[in-house]
């Protein structure tokens, strides 16, 4: 139970994995520490089952399909233990998928690099004063997409973005490797599962 509690505290953002696997990882965390947990997760991510899952899901969803070739290149670099290219490729794709989710829900304008908020008719919403376009920031968009208490949103904003994404991509942090690359793949994994959950919910409602 101590391991399960500790795992929930430190890895709550992995809310998309099975409860049984979470218990297994909790025991490993309590016994051998965080590095062993990431090694175990890496074994799963480097396996054929996950490779097939990733390839199929990126192909299946239209707005993920456009990123498939890029993400697969990052994934294959990761499998080859070549973490400089894997991290450089995968980190930006996480944020890109989040923006694509906004475009897919028709709340973000679809033109490249747009952060503009659109209404149900696809028109850009403007400020009452000044007639300027209203734009999303990433955190407000994530709040809208995932909700206030979503653990992946919390982890991305409070830990990953501040401690990994920005320092590494801005060239300030140079000591990175397997853990960072595994984290990137897990965040992409989590976003794919969120997309699938939304699709399932929509099918049920219709």
């Amino acid at each position: 139970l101590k391991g399960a509690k500790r795992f929930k505290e430190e890895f709550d953002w992995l809310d998309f994995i099975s409860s049984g696997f979470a218990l297994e990882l909790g025991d490993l965390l309590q016994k051998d520490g965080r590095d062993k947990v990431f090694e175990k997760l890496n074994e799963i991510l480097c396996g054929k089952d996950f490779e097939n899952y990733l390839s199929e899901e990126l192909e299946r969803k239209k707005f993920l399909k456009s990123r498939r070739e890029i993400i697969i290149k990052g994934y294959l670099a990761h499998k080859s233990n070549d973490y400089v290219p894997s991290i450089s490729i995968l980190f930006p794709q996480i944020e890109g998928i989040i923006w694509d989710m906004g475009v897919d829900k028709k709340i973000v304008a679809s033109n490249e690099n747009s952060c503009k908020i659109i209404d149900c008719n696809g028109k850009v919403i403007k400020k009452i004063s000044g007639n300027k376009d209203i734009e999303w920031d990433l955190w407000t968009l994530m709040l809208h997409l995932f909700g206030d208490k979503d653990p992946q949103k919390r982890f991305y904003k409070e830990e990953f973005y501040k401690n990994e994404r920005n320092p590494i991509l801005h060239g300030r942090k140079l000591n990175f490797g397997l853990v960072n690359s595994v984290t990137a793949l897990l965040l992409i994994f989590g976003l794919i599962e969120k997309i699938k959950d939304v699709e399932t919910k929509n099918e049920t409602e219709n």
Side-chain angles (χ1 to χ4, degrees), residues 135-184:
E135 296 187 341
W136 294 101
D137 62 64
L138 182 63
W139 311 127
T140 308
L141 178 62
M142 291 182 76
L143 178 66
H144 186 89
L145 291 171
F146 307 147
D148 183 44
K149 297 182 179 179
D150 184 86
Q152 288 182 51
K153 180 185 76 68
R154 180 207 61 77
F155 174 78
Y156 190 89
K157 181 178 182 180
E158 297 177 11
E159 298 185 45
F160 177 77
Y161 201 85
K162 181 172 63 176
N163 299 325
E164 296 186 60
R165 188 265 190 200
N166 278 8
I168 291 173
L169 292 187
H170 293 170
R172 303 302 300 275
K173 182 176 181 177
L174 302 177
N175 57 327
F176 54 84
L178 181 143
V179 169
N180 309 99
S181 194
V182 167
T183 300

Side-chain angles (χ1 to χ4, degrees), residues 46-141:
C46 289
K48 198 64 181 175
D49 287 345
F50 181 78
E51 184 173 354
N52 291 338
Y53 162 90
L54 185 63
S55 180
E56 289 168 7
E57 289 299 326
L58 293 174
E59 181 71 27
R60 186 181 65 82
K61 187 64 178 172
K62 184 179 178 181
F63 68 78
L64 291 177
K65 190 173 182 179
S66 62
R67 298 181 181 277
R68 183 181 181 279
E69 184 177 351
I70 298 171
I71 293 174
I72 292 298
K73 282 184 178 179
Y75 174 71
L76 293 176
H78 174 88
K79 282 192 70 173
S80 300
N81 304 321
D82 198 356
Y83 302 123
V84 172
S86 72
I87 289 167
S88 300
I89 292 169
L90 295 172
F91 272 27
Q93 297 308 308
I94 300 165
E95 192 169 326
I97 291 171
I98 295 169
W99 285 107
D100 282 353
M101 292 172 74
V103 173
D104 188 62
K105 285 183 68 70
K106 296 180 172 57
I107 57 174
V108 178
S110 60
N111 47 307
E112 188 173 311
N113 207 35
S114 175
C115 304
K116 295 176 181 179
I117 301 176
I118 57 174
D119 62 20
C120 59
N121 297 313
K123 293 184 178 180
V124 174
I125 299 174
K126 295 183 178 293
K127 293 180 180 179
I128 296 175
S129 60
N131 201 36
K132 291 183 178 180
D133 298 339
I134 301 177
E135 296 187 341
W136 294 101
D137 62 64
L138 182 63
W139 311 127
T140 308
L141 178 62

Side-chain angles (χ1 to χ4, degrees), residues 19-37:
S19 56
F21 188 42
L23 284 173
E24 179 186 341
L25 292 175
D27 289 340
L28 186 63
L29 177 64
Q30 188 68 14
K31 181 182 176 183
D32 297 318
R34 286 175 63 88
D35 287 349
K36 290 296 182 182
V37 171

